[in-house]
């Protein structure tokens, strides 16, 4: 019996050692397909169009996937052209107030002479967002909106941009000046105790209003912020954009969403099979992934203050292990401890009845200087 057991274990080990990762072969023609994505606002709000090429999953997004130096414009059926501005990294900006009663085509010209044209685009009039709100739940905070479709706008795509204020674990209102070897107060422009961070979401949020009575979409979930997230540690802002899309747009995004959710499965459809409303002029049968939409974008901004969700304890990995050092750095040792910038003075230390500090407690700069993770420049839209 023991011999059979040893033989069985040995066989299992042999099979495990011979197992190799499965890497399905994919036709190289499907690995360098132009991808065009964007929703162009027809009332002049800046909107972005992104261009890149598909890459193998193993490629980790090589830099050559970006499409640079393209000449892009929106052209009305009457021949009027509205150019895009290249922002870099394959991103192009459209900012024109155009007539919603006209029809248009997107024209793309690449540096190698290849050109692409969209199908005819008719601007869609997006209804206003009725309300935006939030509600606490057992996992954190859910942000939602309410809207209503109509006979011209049934399908919706939502995107959002987040901005939040945050503070480092330790505050320093002073700085060390190597030239004078003194510690002096920081100006307002030099503050490093409060900063701001922004993120643009990449989720696909879709809904069809005709699924609801009177096309009334009530409390559509937009964003879940889990407990411990730094976003709600001080003050948070979310700008939600609502975009009416055509039935064809909705079908494209649903397929893309499913493909994204299933990424890694051998049963997932290849991205090149998604298609869209963009065609190559030189070869209309060439694979292209892209669905460009055109219409009025409706936006609504909301702020959430930490006091509205307190108690909220942020759990920030970057600040794990942050401590204030127990020793006091005396005036004579300022240069030794602070010149390199790895340590920053935090708390002044005084003798009893003293008016001038005899030294400072200190901490690592990464635990004190919030500009290492964000910017100390307050956004123009920010409300305190």
């Amino acid at each position: 019996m023991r011999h059979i057991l040893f033989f069985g274990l040995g066989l299992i080990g042999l099979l495990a050692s011979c197992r190799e990762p499965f890497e399905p072969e994919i036709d190289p023609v499907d690995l360098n397909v132009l991808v065009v994505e964007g929703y162009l606002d027809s009332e002049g709000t800046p909107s972005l169009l992104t261009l890149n090429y598909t890459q193998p999953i193993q490629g980790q997004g090589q830099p050559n996937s970006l499409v640079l130096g393209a000449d892009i414009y929106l052209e009305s059926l009457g021949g009027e052209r509205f150019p895009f501005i290249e922002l870099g990294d394959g991103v192009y900006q459209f900012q024109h107030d155009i007539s919603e009663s006209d029809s248009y085509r997107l024209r793309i010209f690449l540096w190698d002479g290849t050109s692409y044209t969209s199908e005819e685009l008719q601007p869609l009039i997006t209804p206003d967002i009725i309300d935006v709100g939030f509600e606490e739940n057992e996992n954190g905070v859910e942000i939602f909106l309410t809207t209503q479709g109509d006979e011209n706008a049934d399908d919706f795509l939502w995107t959002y941009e987040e901005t939040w204020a945050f503070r480092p674990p330790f505050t320093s209102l002073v700085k060390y000046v190597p030239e004078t070897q003194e510690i002096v107060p920081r100006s307002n422009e030099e503050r490093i105790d409060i900063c701001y961070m922004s993120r643009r979401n990449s989720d696909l949020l879709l809904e069809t209003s005709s699924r609801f009575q009177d096309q009334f979409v009530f409390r559509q979930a937009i964003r879940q912020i889990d407990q411990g997230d730094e976003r709600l540690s001080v003050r948070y802002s979310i700008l939600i954009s609502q975009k009416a899309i055509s039935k064809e747009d909705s079908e494209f995004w649903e397929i893309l969403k499913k493909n994204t959710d299933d990424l890694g499965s051998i049963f997932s459809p290849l991205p090149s099979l998604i298609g869209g409303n963009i065609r190559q002029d030189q070869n209309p049968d060439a694979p292209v992934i892209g669905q460009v939409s055109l219409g009025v974008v409706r936006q609504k901004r909301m702020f959430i203050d930490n006091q509205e969700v307190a108690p909220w304890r942020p759990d920030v990995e970057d600040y794990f292990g942050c401590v204030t050092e127990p020793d006091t750095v005396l005036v004579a040792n300022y240069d030794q401890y602070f010149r390199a910038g790895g340590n920053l003075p935090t708390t002044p230390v005084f003798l009893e009845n003293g008016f001038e500090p005899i030294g400072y407690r200190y901490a690592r700069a990464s635990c004190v200087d919030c500009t290492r993770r964000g910017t100390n420049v307050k956004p123009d839209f920010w409300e305190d």
Side-chain angles (χ1 to χ4, degrees):
M1 185 68 178
R2 289 174 55 190
H3 291 87
I4 296 176
L5 178 60
F6 289 149
F7 176 78
L9 291 174
L11 180 60
I12 292 173
L14 179 63
L15 291 175
S17 65
C18 294
R19 187 167 51 200
E20 295 180 357
F22 172 65
E23 296 183 358
E25 293 184 4
I26 302 176
D27 189 340
V29 73
D30 293 321
L31 300 181
N32 197 33
V33 177
L34 181 68
V35 181
V36 184
E37 186 273 316
Y39 191 106
L40 310 180
D41 179 76
S42 58
E43 290 194 337
T45 299
S47 47
L48 304 178
L49 185 81
T50 59
L51 301 182
N52 54 59
Y53 291 108
T54 57
Q55 293 288 314
I57 294 175
Q58 299 88 342
Q60 302 297 322
Q62 296 98 322
N64 62 1
S65 66
L66 304 176
V67 178
L68 308 176
D71 184 19
I72 307 174
Y73 57 82
L74 191 70
E75 185 176 49
S76 70
L77 295 188
E80 189 175 4
R81 295 180 176 181
F82 304 91
F84 287 64
I85 299 174
E86 183 173 6
L87 301 182
D89 294 331
V91 179
Y92 299 79
Q93 180 176 282
F94 179 82
Q95 188 174 4
H96 298 279
D97 189 352
I98 61 177
S99 171
E100 276 88 24
S101 61
D102 207 343
S103 295
Y104 304 84
R105 292 187 189 275
L106 179 70
R107 305 297 307 279
I108 301 172
F109 298 87
L110 304 186
W111 63 271
D112 63 358
T114 310
S115 61
Y116 298 82
T117 302
S118 74
E119 296 174 2
E120 188 173 313
L121 304 174
Q122 179 66 47
L124 295 176
I125 308 300
T126 304
D128 288 328
I129 298 173
I130 296 174
D131 182 47
V132 171
F134 72 93
E135 183 176 51
E136 293 187 68
N137 54 38
E138 60 182 9
N139 296 318
V141 168
E142 181 184 76
I143 298 170
F144 57 81
L145 66 74
T146 298
T147 192
Q148 187 171 21
D150 55 37
E151 65 277 6
N152 298 315
D154 185 26
D155 294 288
F156 292 97
L157 169 66
W158 292 285
T159 58
Y160 60 86
E161 298 176 28
E162 302 173 285
T163 303
W164 62 96
F166 69 94
R167 294 184 183 276
F170 305 113
T171 298
S172 176
L173 301 179
V174 296
K175 67 177 182 178
Y176 176 68
V177 182
E179 292 77 13
T180 62
Q181 298 189 5
E182 295 178 314
I183 290 179
V184 300
R186 289 180 178 272
S187 66
N188 286 334
E189 292 74 21
E190 295 173 320
R191 288 185 61 175
I192 57 173
D193 60 312
I194 185 166
C195 286
Y196 306 87
M197 195 177 299
S198 297
R199 292 287 184 273
R200 186 187 303 271
N201 84 297
S202 57
D203 299 330
L204 293 176
L205 305 174
L206 302 162
E207 188 53 272
T208 300
S209 65
S210 56
R211 296 199 312 111
F212 305 94
Q213 184 175 0
D214 298 326
Q215 293 184 269
F216 191 71
V217 183
F218 181 69
R219 289 198 167 191
Q220 166 70 36
I222 297 296
R223 177 76 164 95
Q224 171 71 32
I225 302 177
D226 292 334
Q227 285 286 352
D229 196 306
E230 185 182 42
R231 285 167 173 79
L232 297 181
S233 63
V234 179
R235 188 163 175 77
Y236 169 86
S237 170
I238 184 170
L239 176 65
I240 302 176
S241 298
Q242 176 168 283
K243 307 165 185 181
I245 57 178
S246 67
K247 187 62 65 177
E248 294 75 19
D249 291 341
S250 180
E251 292 172 355
F252 172 87
W253 290 115
E254 285 287 0
I255 294 173
L256 186 61
K257 186 177 190 299
K258 183 178 186 304
N259 190 81
T260 302
D261 293 341
D262 291 345
L263 187 64
S265 167
I266 61 173
F267 301 105
S268 302
L270 288 175
S272 59
L273 299 181
I274 296 177
N277 61 0
I278 307 290
R279 299 289 180 270
Q280 186 186 120
D281 297 328
Q282 290 75 16
N283 179 12
D285 295 326
V288 183
I289 303 173
Q291 191 75 16
V292 176
S293 307
L294 180 62
V296 178
V297 178
R298 304 298 187 187
Q299 295 182 318
K300 208 170 190 67
R301 183 180 294 279
M302 179 182 68
F303 287 87
I304 303 177
D305 192 86
N306 173 260
Q307 296 177 356
E308 299 177 82
V309 296
W312 189 277
R313 297 177 180 83
D315 189 17
V316 184
E317 185 175 353
D318 288 346
Y319 295 142
F320 288 177
C322 283
V323 295
T324 298
E325 299 299 332
D327 297 330
T328 297
V329 178
L330 300 177
V331 175
N333 297 323
Y334 282 173
D335 200 61
Q336 175 186 346
Y337 278 81
F338 300 135
R339 173 178 285 273
N343 301 314
L344 294 180
T346 55
T347 308
V349 177
F350 297 87
L351 292 176
E352 186 175 357
N353 299 323
F355 293 99
E356 293 292 332
I358 63 169
Y360 276 82
R361 302 280 296 278
Y362 70 96
R364 297 197 314 268
S366 59
C367 300
V368 179
D369 185 358
C370 65
T371 63
R372 297 197 170 200
R373 299 180 56 237
T375 175
N376 61 0
V377 179
K378 184 185 298 187
D380 293 337
F381 61 80
W382 194 258
E383 299 176 5
D384 289 318

